[in-house]
Structures are given as structure tokens and as C-alpha cells.
Amino acid sequence: MSASAQAHHDGPPADYLSESTVKSWLLTTDHKRVGILYLISVTIFFIAGGVLAGLMRLELMTPRGDVLGSPDTYNRMFTMHGVIMIFFFLVPAIPSVLGNFLLPLMIGARDLAFPKINLLSWYVYMVGGIMGVWILMHGGIDTGWTFYTPFSSMYSNSMVLTAAVAVFITGFSSILTGLNFIVTVHTMRAPGMTWFRMPLFVWSHYATALIMVLATPVLAISIVLVGLEKFFGVGVFDPRLGGDPVLFQHLFWFYSHPAVYIMVLPGFAVISEIIPCFARRPIFGYRFVAFASVAIAIFGFLVWGHHMFVSGQSMYAGAVFSILSFLVAIPSAIKVFNWTATLYKGSLSFDTPMLYALGFMGLFTIGGLTGLMLASLALDVHVHDTYFVVAHFHYIMVGGTVMAYLGGIHFWWPKISGRTYPEIWGKLSALLVFVGFNLTFFPQFLLGYLGMPRRYFEYRPEFQVLNVMSTAGATVLAVGMLMPMIYLGLSLRQPKNAGDNPWGATGLEWQIESPPTTHNFHEPVLVTCEPYLYSPEEAEREYAHAQHVHSA
Amino acid sequence: MSSHPHLGQSKTAHHITHHITPVKTYRIIFILLGLLLFATVLASELPLSRSGHLIVAMTIAMIKAVLIVLFFMHVYYSAPLTWVIAAGSFLWVGLLLAFLTSDYISRGWLHNILGK
Amino acid sequence: MHTPSTSTAPDSGRQILLSHFDDLEQQNLSSTLGMWFFLVSEVMFFSGLIAAYAVYRGLSPEAFHLASRHMDKWWGFANTLVLLTSSLTMALAVRATQTGDRRAIVRNLLWTAVLGSAFLGVKVFEWKAEIDHHLFPGKHFVVPDHDEEHLKEYLEKTDGHVDPVKLEREKGRFQLMFVLYFFMTGVHAFHMIVGIAAVVLFALLTHFKWFSGYGQTQTESLGLYWHFVDVVWVFLYPLLYLIE
């Protein structure tokens, strides 16, 4: 190892937050600061997407369309909700915020391999994001986030072209992040940090990055072809001119199915860190969990056709895609079983991150199992394009990714900000999110099963009771998600009181100051042991000691 | 950061990471590529079936690509990881094409079963 | 491998080490690996186009065959040769960075840029001829009469009669070949323009001794990119020009 950063400083080096000029933030190449920039921007997009969701739920409280005025407004609303939530929140949320912040810390590196490209990825993301907001302000698009042709390329008169450019640009930010992560994991690991000593967080992010690099360009090209068709009127997907609209769906889902794993694998990453820490046990079956991430990334590319069972795709292709889809369940189940086995005989403590993680496990399991139902060719024909699908993917995306994201933010908040937050409020928010979420989306399984189609402005009166339940749940969910923004924000007014390692966690990131200094580590890092060396016996002894002190 | 005047040491590192290919190798590869290019144009004039032409043209293109990747892009002298990356990207294109075309090829098959 | 960090003045023949890396080997490996993974994503970008091409050519081989006859294969041949030569000069430029021969680097890079520009020049000339023949897709596109006759004959031969709907579809696919041709060669040309700009910039930077260590790492990455663009053309040439 070469000379450390300390050579430049006299006295204790300042933490990464200490410089506070706008310039120092906008020109930073520090991976931690870029993470914070992403944290702020994805939060803004999350709020925007959430407000749109709220308006939609308000509209759906009554069977008649009466809140938003016209079906067209409603169409634009659900499209913008989807576009913002997927491309501007879910895809970048965990990798770009927590991944950026933690990946170099966890492998003992001073930064990502390409710090400038990392900052560039944020700027590219912001350009795409600002275009997204501009589209929202000027009427939005009404194609659904899937941009299906020929509606998007021939009939829609909304701003499909601008949206295509925005999504294209945002895709590049995702590719750049993925590239950076892959190279960092390959070349920047500290001496002794072998592949099987890496935290599972890093493994999952590596798998995510692979998908980002392999899949995102295909989305880019399919979106460009739609734009091309719209702009020149050349009919790449226009049946009258010999084009095939189903081809668009193939190309689109070649990205967008793996993209589901871009969104949820980082969720697995967070959960794999939280569960061992609060169960005080080493993770059960480390290699299985690690390889499961890579397996999910690879299998994820073989199943895209299960989104197209009723699109005119060949029946035989449908059958093959259906069977292959069941393969993805294997590594996903391995993960859930291994987390459960980690909990077994653990010394559990139910702090806020753990509550979110447990919520994740339950909700992700429901989402995953209903995914198997949808992957069955025969069943999908009946529930396709109903609320059953809507409920299923919200259980994965919100119940999975958002729960994991919030759990991760609570887990690493002391490290990121150097401050603790009021535990009671944290627990309450986890509870509200869990209850509100289930109340919102479980009725939607029933609605879909009963035949309520998705993406409709009005519905039959007999569906109203379940819809009102869903809207009530959405209100609770909104409160549960606003709370962390408030109390975490307020915690910044306290002095830095978190200490280096408030959870007693293993992992390199907990061995340095909170918040970390600009160069992360003061001395060369040498890794000599496996991750997750927690001891349940020691935890028992500490607990007994605490009880003893308490009673005395 | 300090500077160490160990030029010799840095030079060894130099040689380990970069194998210097002789100019002769580059010339041979270039001539091979030229010949293959000529072969592909000539093959397009041959009286082959349509799929025969496609197979010949793609095989020659593949050989050319492999030569460029192995020697001009130094994969031949590189770490196994580079081999994996180069092969993996071809594999992934194959994956997309295989699944995509399997859908289009099998679309008419239902009618055969129904005896239409 | 453990190498001491260096921060000597530029162009002492040794590279500068960026502060977040431990040694030069790690730094070089990172940049090469980064370029390789970037190229993987480029491959996937082109694969979407190849996929569209495969599907439509599979559905209408005759229309694609007829459309392809409008491309001049000998111009394409000459252009491919030019591009392959530019790959050779690029490889020699990269080799010169390893041997530390600055004049050879600059000379080979400039040759690469010249050959790349020649390629683009021929391409522009070809495009212009096609646009003049109303073969640019869109409003002005006209299926030439003899090609329409061919398509009618083809349908007559396969179906026994000319179905007007099928004829329209075949004519659409004829145009689709040109959509894909212009888009694929256009995207390829865009990559060439970026590449040429970078090659000229690198030649200047090497000449003015801006790079440390003869720009070995940087030029090697640029070389990978240039060869990749060449590989793309190696596939595009038979797919677009040589359908017999």
C-alpha cells in the first residue's frame, strides 16, 4: 500500500461532510458525497411519484371518475407514476445511494475505480430527471411506463419522443454506475479481501451491475427505435409497413425483466447485512447466498417472454419462458431460506432496521410466490393486465425494494450522518409502512382475481369496498414513509453522537469514524477473516449482563 | 505521496502487464484479415443457397472478429477475465437472438397440429 | 505485484498514479477492464439492432435481398479494407506506446485518423447516392419499379397470386431494410466520428507530451474502442452488402 492520505493533514482529518460550499458538492468525486447527491435527488423523485400515486388512489375511491376530470389525465398520471418510480427512483435508489456510499468502504478501498465517471453518472441522471420533470409539467405521457407500440409510436399524441430521450439518457447513468461497480470489485479490493470474504452486499451489487451493463443498452436501442419511428414515420414496429409490434415487446422486456432484478437484488444486498447483525449470527450458507445473486442475474435474462403470454408470442416460446421463469424461484428461495436459517437460534433484537428487514422477508415472499402464479402460462392468461399483476409487482418493488431501502437507510444512517435517530419513531414508521402497505395492496390481489383490469379510470361498483380499503391503506403508507424523512432530517440538528459502531456490527465500514473521513481509511487495510463473525453466545452474555445491571 | 527512484522495479511491472506483440504478428493478422475479406466477397458470388450464403458470410465474419479480438485487442495475451468478458458478450448476443428467433420460428406451428 | 507510487513530472516515461489507487498495475487494470465492460454494453446496444434485422430478414428474405442489391459491394469492400488498415495502424500506435517511441505513436495515430476519415468520406458518398435514388426511409421513399415487379413475381411464384396486403407488407420490409441500413451505418459512423476525434486529440496530447508514460493506458483503451468499431463493421458489411 502506498502512502496514506494522512500525510497531508496535521491533527485529526476532517470528515467527508465538513466542506459545505455548493461548489464542493457539485464538483465532488468522493463516492460518499456522490451517494448523498443521489440520496437527495431520488428522495425528491420518490415524493413526486408518491404524490401521483396518491392522486390515483384518490380517484379510485369511487367507481365513477370524479377527481381527476378525464380518463386522459388518469392515463398520464399512472404513466408518470411508473416512469418516475422505476427509472428515477427504484433503479438508482439502493445502488446509487447505499451502493455508492458503502461499496468502497466494504472492500477497503479509498474510492470507486472511476470517481469522475461516478460524478458524471449523477449529472447524466439529473439531465434525464429534469427532462422527466419537464415532461410532467407539460402534460406528461399516456403510454404506460412500458411504451408499448404501436400506441406509443403511432397513436399517442403525448410527449413520447421527449420521454424516450429522457429514459435513454437516464439509462447511461445506470450503465456508468454498473461499470464502476464491476471494475471496483475486480480491482480495488484491499489485500486479504478475497471474493469469499466480501460482504454479501458487495456480491449482490456486483450481480446488479452486471445486469445494468448487459441489459440497459437494449432498452436504449428499443426506445431509440420508437423515437425514430415517431420522428421519421418509418414504421419499425408498424404492421402496415411490415413491422412487428411484438418485436418491441421482446426488446423492451429483454431489459425490463432483468431490470426487476436491478431493483430487487440491491434489496437482497441490504437484507443480507441487516439480518446477521440483529440476529447476532453469521449468515447461514454464505456461498449459497452469494452465488444465488449471480444466478438470479443470469436466469433473469432467460425469462423475459413471460410478460408476453397474451401478446401474440408463439405458444411454444411462451411455454419455454414459463418453465424457465420457475428457475428464478430457486435462487430467490435459497436467499429467503438462508435468511430464515440465520434467524434460527439467533439472539434477535428488533431495532428499526431489523423490523424493516423482517417486513421485507414476508412481503417479498408473498410477491415472489404470486410471481410464480403469474409465470404459469395457463393462470396468467386469466389474470393478465388485472390488479393481480399490479399487486404482485408492488409486493416486489415496494414490499421488497422500498422496505430494504428504508431498512438500509436506517441501518447506515449513523454511519452516513454520524447521528442517531429516535428509535421509537423508527419502529413506528416501520410498523406503519408494513400495515399500510398490506392494506393498500392485499385488496388489489382480490380485485385482480375478481377481474378488475389495471390502468382503468372507472370500475364496476361492486369493487368499491376493496378499493376504499386500498386507498385507506395508501394514506397510512404515506404517513409511514413521510415520518423517516422528518425525523432523519431533524436528527441532523443534533451533534454527532452515533459513535463508530452503534450496532456492534462487523464489516470494514463500521471500523472507521462516523461520518467517515474523505479518504475512508487512515492505515492500509488488511483483511484476515470472513465477514459476519457474530457470536450468539457473546450476545447472550451481554444481554444477561445488561439485565443484571438493570435489576441491581 | 513520495517518489521512489526504482526505475528498474517499475519496468518489470511494465513487462508483466503488457506483452509487446511483434510487428510481424500484426502484419500477418492484417494480411489474413484482407484475405478473409476477399474470400467473403468471392463467396457471395458463388451459386449457394440463401442460407448457405448466410452461413458462409457469418462464419468468415466470426473468424475475422475473433482474429481482431485476439490479436489487435490483445485478448490472446490477457488474463482469463478478459477472455470471459469477450466470450460473454458474444454469448449474450446469441442468447437474445436464440430466444427471439425461436418465438418467430414457432409461431405457425399451432396450425400444423390443428391440421390446417 | 507491489510497485511504489510515483508522482514524477509528466513524460518522464513513467505514469502518474491517481491518489485512490495503490499502484500502477491496479490503475492500468482498472482502466482496461472499464473499457472492456463499456464495450460489452456497446455490443448489447448493437445486438438490439441485429435482432431487429434478424427478425425482419427472416420474415422477408426476398425484400432484404432486393434492397441489398442497391448497395455497392465493391465500395463496401474497399471501405472495409480501409477500416482494417486503420485497425492495423491503431494496433501499431498502441505498440509504440509500449516501446516508448513517441514519433511512431503520433504517426500511427494520425494515419488511423486519416483512414477513418477516408472511410467516412466513402460512406457519405454512398449515402448521398442512395438518398438521390429516393431510398432514404420516410416520406420521400419510393420502392423502385423493377424491385416492385420482382416482389410481385416472387409472391406469384410462392402463393400463385399477388395478395395486395402481402405486397404492401413486402414493400414495407423493403423499406425496413433501408431503415436498418441507415440506422446501423449511422450509429457506426457516429462511433467513428467520436473515435476519430479522440484519435486526433490523443495524437496532439502525445505530441505535446501531455501524457505521462507515453499515454500507454489511455491509448490502449482508445485502441480497444477503435478495434471494437472495426469488429462491428466486420459484421455489418456481409449483413448489409452481401445478401445474394
Side-chain angles (χ1 to χ4, degrees):
Chain A
M1 305 282 292
S2 69
S4 79
Q6 252 184 337
H8 298 292
H9 297 283
D10 296 312
D15 68 58
Y16 79 103
L17 290 167
S18 55
E19 217 181 333
S20 60
T21 58
V22 175
K23 193 181 151 202
S24 76
W25 278 97
L26 292 183
L27 295 180
T28 183
T29 51
D30 184 344
H31 65 102
K32 302 181 284 301
R33 285 186 158 226
V34 176
I36 301 293
L37 290 176
Y38 266 114
L39 174 66
I40 295 164
S41 15
V42 299
T43 306
I44 292 169
F45 283 109
F46 183 68
I47 294 171
V51 168
L52 290 170
L55 287 172
M56 276 152 60
R57 274 327 311 171
L58 209 60
E59 171 61 63
L60 291 173
M61 233 164 51
T62 56
R64 300 246 63 84
D66 38 21
V67 178
L68 297 176
S70 77
D72 194 42
T73 319
Y74 182 78
N75 292 347
R76 285 160 199 260
M77 216 131 257
F78 75 68
T79 304
M80 290 313 290
H81 169 69
V83 169
I84 289 178
M85 283 304 201
I86 286 174
F87 295 114
F88 301 119
F89 176 72
L90 286 167
V91 168
I94 299 179
S96 297
V97 178
L98 294 174
N100 255 334
F101 195 95
L102 293 164
L103 198 86
L105 295 179
M106 283 184 168
I107 60 172
R110 281 190 288 280
D111 207 321
L112 288 168
F114 309 114
K116 285 178 193 147
I117 289 182
N118 194 24
L119 179 65
L120 177 69
S121 91
W122 180 74
Y123 275 102
V124 172
Y125 166 80
M126 284 313 281
V127 171
I130 286 166
M131 281 180 77
V133 171
W134 190 83
I135 293 164
L136 183 65
M137 304 257 221
H138 291 76
I141 47 168
D142 60 351
T143 59
W145 78 276
T146 47
F147 296 100
Y148 269 13
T149 54
F151 180 72
S152 61
S153 57
M154 292 164 67
Y155 301 107
S156 167
N157 51 11
S158 59
M159 304 161 103
V160 177
L161 200 60
T162 327
V165 177
V167 170
F168 181 80
I169 292 173
T170 316
F172 276 99
S173 121
S174 179
I175 293 174
L176 293 177
T177 305
L179 247 156
N180 224 335
F181 282 5
I182 293 177
V183 176
T184 305
V185 172
H186 272 289
T187 64
M188 306 289 283
R189 281 172 289 130
M193 178 58 83
T194 59
W195 282 83
F196 293 113
R197 282 180 186 165
M198 291 194 314
L200 291 166
F201 185 92
V202 181
W203 271 96
S204 269
H205 273 79
Y206 182 78
T208 310
L210 281 180
I211 309 177
M212 283 171 162
V213 169
L214 284 167
T216 318
V218 182
L219 171 78
I221 194 68
S222 44
I223 287 285
V224 166
L225 286 173
V226 169
L228 208 67
E229 173 160 0
K230 190 128 185 112
F231 192 71
F232 288 107
V234 291
V236 184
F237 303 115
D238 177 357
R240 278 180 318 180
L241 293 169
D244 182 12
V246 179
L247 177 65
F248 172 79
Q249 296 189 22
H250 272 297
L251 294 178
F252 178 82
W253 288 113
F254 185 85
Y255 164 77
S256 294
H257 191 77
V260 172
Y261 304 112
I262 294 181
M263 299 178 233
V264 83
L265 273 171
F268 296 160
V270 170
I271 302 305
S272 300
E273 297 300 309
I274 294 178
I275 296 271
C277 176
F278 293 96
R280 293 283 143 196
R281 288 193 67 209
I283 190 121
F284 183 86
Y286 169 89
R287 289 192 185 207
F288 278 94
V289 183
F291 284 127
S293 294
V294 181
I296 289 173
I298 293 170
F299 291 164
F301 279 97
L302 310 177
V303 302
W304 78 81
H306 68 214
H307 295 269
M308 300 164 57
F309 288 155
V310 297
S311 70
Q313 176 186 240
S314 137
M315 191 184 76
Y316 301 95
V320 170
F321 278 126
S322 174
I323 293 165
L324 287 175
S325 302
F326 288 99
L327 276 182
V328 184
I330 299 169
S332 312
I334 286 175
K335 284 184 176 270
V336 173
F337 287 139
N338 279 313
W339 293 325
T340 316
T342 309
L343 294 176
Y344 178 66
K345 287 197 173 171
S347 170
L348 306 188
S349 52
F350 297 96
D351 297 287
T352 310
M354 184 63 159
L355 290 185
Y356 274 109
L358 293 174
F360 170 97
M361 280 171 66
L363 300 181
F364 173 73
T365 305
I366 296 175
L369 289 175
T370 51
L372 285 179
M373 294 165 77
L374 289 170
S376 327
L377 185 49
L379 187 61
D380 181 71
V381 172
H382 296 281
V383 290
H384 187 86
D385 262 345
T386 66
Y387 264 82
F388 194 88
V389 178
V390 175
H392 154 68
F393 70 70
H394 279 92
Y395 264 82
I396 299 283
M397 304 285 79
V398 185
T401 309
V402 177
M403 288 292 269
Y405 175 67
L406 288 173
I409 291 285
H410 282 90
F411 186 49
W412 282 290
W413 186 255
K415 183 56 61 184
I416 294 173
S417 71
R419 277 96 169 166
T420 53
Y421 49 85
E423 193 56 36
I424 180 74
W425 286 105
K427 283 179 175 161
L428 189 62
S429 84
L431 192 70
L432 283 180
V433 169
F434 185 79
V435 172
F437 174 81
N438 278 301
L439 191 56
T440 313
F441 292 103
F442 203 83
Q444 296 189 2
F445 277 126
L446 305 177
L447 283 168
Y449 187 73
L450 293 171
M452 179 170 160
R454 68 192 277 203
R455 294 183 168 175
Y456 274 67
F457 175 60
E458 297 179 331
Y459 55 87
R460 291 164 65 99
E462 62 260 36
F463 295 138
Q464 190 175 9
V465 176
L466 287 168
N467 268 300
V468 169
M469 279 170 74
S470 183
T471 303
T475 320
V476 179
L477 187 58
V479 173
M481 285 183 173
L482 275 175
M483 275 169 46
M485 293 182 204
I486 295 166
Y487 64 76
L488 291 181
L490 286 178
S491 78
L492 292 175
R493 296 160 55 131
Q494 308 167 24
K496 289 168 189 156
N497 59 355
D500 292 356
N501 191 357
W503 312 114
T506 63
L508 289 175
E509 80 270 28
W510 298 108
Q511 292 170 19
I512 52 175
E513 299 93 332
S514 306
T517 56
T518 308
H519 282 264
N520 298 350
F521 301 96
H522 304 301
E523 288 150 22
V525 181
L526 182 68
V527 182
T528 52
C529 58
E530 316 291 306
Y532 311 117
L533 287 179
Y534 294 104
S535 149
E537 294 78 23
E538 194 182 321
E540 282 301 314
R541 275 199 300 278
E542 275 170 22
Y543 178 75
H545 180 70
Q547 289 298 95
H548 182 72
V549 172
H550 188 69
S551 53
Chain B
M1 259 166 288
S2 55
S3 96
H4 300 263
H6 300 312
L7 260 174
Q9 198 179 354
S10 122
K11 228 174 187 171
T12 31
H14 209 89
H15 281 293
I16 286 163
T17 41
H18 293 282
H19 173 275
I20 301 183
T21 319
V23 179
K24 201 176 146 198
T25 312
Y26 286 130
R27 290 215 176 112
I28 292 170
I29 297 299
F30 174 69
I31 291 167
L32 278 178
L33 288 171
L35 290 175
L36 283 167
L37 172 63
F38 201 64
T40 193
V41 181
L42 285 186
S44 73
E45 306 276 356
L46 291 177
L48 292 173
S49 71
R50 202 160 261 159
S51 49
H53 273 299
L54 184 67
I55 290 166
V56 170
M58 283 298 100
T59 311
I60 295 177
M62 202 67 201
I63 297 170
K64 279 156 76 184
V66 166
L67 285 178
I68 296 175
V69 170
L70 283 186
F71 294 99
F72 284 179
M73 296 169 93
H74 304 142
V75 170
Y76 189 76
Y77 311 102
S78 299
L81 179 62
T82 321
W83 286 81
V84 173
I85 299 170
S89 53
F90 277 110
L91 185 75
W92 239 248
V93 177
L95 206 90
L96 171 63
L97 290 178
F99 276 90
L100 189 65
T101 45
S102 75
D103 168 28
Y104 283 87
I105 290 169
S106 61
R107 272 195 200 172
W109 290 1
L110 193 58
H111 298 293
N112 299 344
I113 294 177
L114 298 175
K116 269 182 161 179
Chain C
M1 186 62 216
H2 187 277
T3 319
S5 60
T6 47
S7 62
T8 42
D11 203 50
S12 64
R14 299 171 66 198
Q15 285 178 277
I16 291 176
L17 183 71
L18 296 173
S19 71
H20 62 290
F21 289 114
D22 292 332
D23 53 45
L24 282 175
E25 199 187 356
Q26 185 188 34
Q27 177 171 306
N28 295 349
L29 187 63
S30 296
S31 81
T32 319
L33 210 55
M35 188 39 116
W36 268 106
F37 275 103
F38 174 71
L39 294 185
V40 170
S41 82
E42 286 272 29
V43 168
M44 294 315 289
F45 186 81
F46 278 99
S47 79
L49 287 171
I50 302 274
Y53 174 90
V55 165
Y56 292 135
R57 179 168 167 186
L59 290 172
S60 287
E62 188 66 20
F64 269 59
H65 164 63
L66 291 173
S68 164
R69 292 209 308 204
H70 290 273
M71 287 80 164
D72 187 326
K73 73 167 101 167
W74 290 107
W75 273 120
F77 170 82
N79 233 359
T80 313
L81 203 59
V82 167
L83 205 55
L84 288 175
T85 318
S86 80
S87 253
L88 176 69
T89 54
M90 185 42 121
L92 292 176
V94 172
R95 187 179 181 280
T97 63
Q98 292 163 351
T99 54
D101 182 350
R102 182 172 298 106
R103 287 170 60 99
I105 304 171
V106 176
R107 190 179 64 236
N108 280 307
L109 282 179
L110 288 179
W111 268 116
T112 309
V114 168
L115 291 164
S117 312
F119 174 90
L120 282 180
V122 174
K123 206 74 219 96
V124 168
F125 165 77
E126 285 184 78
W127 281 332
K128 188 175 175 311
E130 279 135 7
I131 293 167
D132 287 345
H133 287 96
H134 298 279
L135 291 172
F136 186 75
K139 283 194 192 104
H140 305 289
F141 188 84
V142 182
V143 179
D145 289 337
H146 60 275
D147 287 319
E148 196 166 340
E149 285 308 312
H150 270 292
L151 284 173
K152 277 185 189 158
E153 272 170 36
Y154 170 72
L155 288 176
E156 188 106 42
K157 213 163 58 184
T158 46
D159 297 355
H161 66 285
V162 179
D163 182 351
V165 177
K166 272 196 174 174
L167 181 64
E168 277 311 301
R169 200 188 293 154
E170 289 295 321
K171 281 163 71 179
R173 298 255 162 80
F174 183 88
Q175 184 185 347
L176 260 178
M177 168 68 176
F178 280 96
V179 173
L180 290 169
Y181 165 79
F182 275 102
F183 193 51
M184 283 169 159
T185 52
V187 173
H188 181 262
F190 173 77
H191 280 85
M192 292 285 297
I193 293 169
V194 172
I196 292 168
V199 166
V200 171
L201 180 71
F202 273 49
L204 288 176
L205 292 179
T206 312
H207 181 71
F208 293 110
K209 303 183 183 177
W210 188 84
F211 282 131
S212 65
Y214 302 104
Q216 192 180 321
T217 314
Q218 294 92 329
T219 313
E220 190 176 336
S221 296
L222 179 65
L224 288 177
Y225 172 84
W226 189 269
H227 297 310
F228 162 77
V229 176
D230 196 14
V231 169
V232 170
W233 183 259
V234 160
F235 284 100
L236 290 189
Y237 174 58
L239 288 178
L240 297 174
Y241 287 74
L242 299 178
I243 310 179
E244 286 298 324

